[in-house]
Amino acid sequence: MGDMNEGVGRASGGRLRPPGPTTRRIPAEWVSSRPRAERARQLADVLRQRITAGAFPCGVLPDERLLGTQLGASRNAVREALGLLRDEGLITRRRGVGTTVTTSKYGHGLDRLAGLAETLNGHGTVTNEVRVAEVVTDPPPAITERLELPAGTAVLHLERLRRLDGRPLSLDTSHLPAEVGRGVLRGDLTGRDVFALIEETTGCLLGRAEVTVHAVTADPDTAALLEIPVGAAVFAIERLTRLSDGRPVDVESLRIRADRMALHTTLHRERPFLAG
């Protein structure tokens, strides 16, 4: 005869122990061994890439349920990912309106030597506020060294606040040899790229540039000029541009709003070396 209390355990001392809770089946797609924060971060990466690529041309994202279906994720994970993008300032979320892209990100290719106005042609009007334009007779040694000039050689110091459709996009600082810079000063610094002015002044095409990109936070002065919060993410680009004959002609330091610009390039893998 079977035990009347089958399925009911016995605690020490012979006392009956109540049965455990009934096991509930959870759909496999709702379960992940990865921490929830990690899943949210990865979903945010996917959504950020789609926003940058222009996947939502009207600027409005689908609701959480539809995004979850498209991305194979739970609604809670999607909600957390959208929260991360909202904290970045990339999107806004309002009841009755939904999730909208705050501002479009524009692509700036790193595999082509081009000025900002040239890069953003067709995306809006680029204007330049000239903040500094002066020939410096005693520049920092680090500048003359990079320009391969004798110490104490005069250079042009140029700083411009660049706007796209009236909104700040970047703060650009350049140092050029004075013999080139004086010709650049005669050009239209408010409406044209420095690269084009350099080529006109020298009669020589630009050849190549050495570029380093850093991720930094905005200091108070940069934040005020770019109209972003202090500590916001900024791309810091250091670039040394050379003429086609190899002469260094422009040492630049650029601070670009990371919420308005995405840097991209196309990389090619070289044929691997095979030992003979």
Side-chain angles (χ1 to χ4, degrees), residues 214-218 222 226 228 232-236 254-258:
H214 305 275
V216 302
T217 55
T222 300
L226 294 181
I228 55 178
V234 174
F235 288 124
L254 299 87
R255 298 294 181 268
I256 301 177
R257 285 180 52 161

Side-chain angles (χ1 to χ4, degrees), residues 70-245:
Q70 293 175 349
L71 300 174
S74 70
R75 187 171 180 178
N76 284 340
V78 169
R79 183 178 298 119
E80 289 195 29
L82 292 174
L84 294 175
L85 298 179
R86 179 191 57 209
D87 292 344
E88 292 177 14
L90 187 59
I91 62 172
T92 57
R93 310 199 72 199
R94 289 187 292 171
R95 188 179 299 276
V97 176
T99 303
T100 57
V101 178
T102 302
T103 182
S104 299
K105 280 201 173 190
Y106 302 97
H108 192 338
L110 295 179
D111 50 358
R112 179 169 173 259
L113 189 54
L116 189 62
E118 183 181 356
T119 298
L120 296 177
N121 184 35
H123 292 289
T125 301
V126 176
T127 56
N128 307 295
E129 175 190 332
V130 180
R131 304 189 72 252
V132 179
E134 61 181 5
V135 174
V136 179
T137 57
D138 188 21
I143 297 298
T144 52
E145 181 179 345
R146 295 203 72 193
L147 289 172
E148 299 179 9
L149 298 172
T153 303
V155 301
L156 171 68
H157 176 204
L158 178 65
E159 181 176 279
R160 300 192 298 175
L161 178 64
R162 315 198 73 180
R163 302 176 185 271
L164 178 62
D165 290 336
R167 297 183 59 196
L169 181 62
S170 69
L171 179 65
D172 303 357
T173 301
S174 289
H175 289 89
L176 296 77
E179 61 181 22
V180 176
R182 291 188 178 95
V184 168
L185 284 176
R186 291 192 289 268
D188 178 12
L189 289 172
T190 62
R192 300 187 64 193
D193 282 328
V194 169
F195 282 174
L197 297 176
I198 290 173
E199 290 181 328
E200 289 179 6
T201 298
T202 62
C204 185
L205 296 177
L206 297 175
R208 69 181 191 276
E210 297 143 27
V211 179
T212 302
V213 181
H214 305 275
V216 302
T217 55
D219 59 84
D221 183 57
T222 300
L225 290 170
L226 294 181
E227 299 179 10
I228 55 178
V230 174
V234 174
F235 288 124
I237 300 180
E238 311 300 331
R239 181 167 59 191
L240 173 64
T241 303
R242 298 176 181 270
L243 295 171
S244 57
D245 60 10

Side-chain angles (χ1 to χ4, degrees), residues 52-73:
T52 302
F56 310 107
C58 62
V60 179
L61 276 65
D63 60 36
E64 293 173 358
R65 191 180 302 278
L66 181 54
L67 281 174
T69 300
Q70 293 175 349
L71 300 174

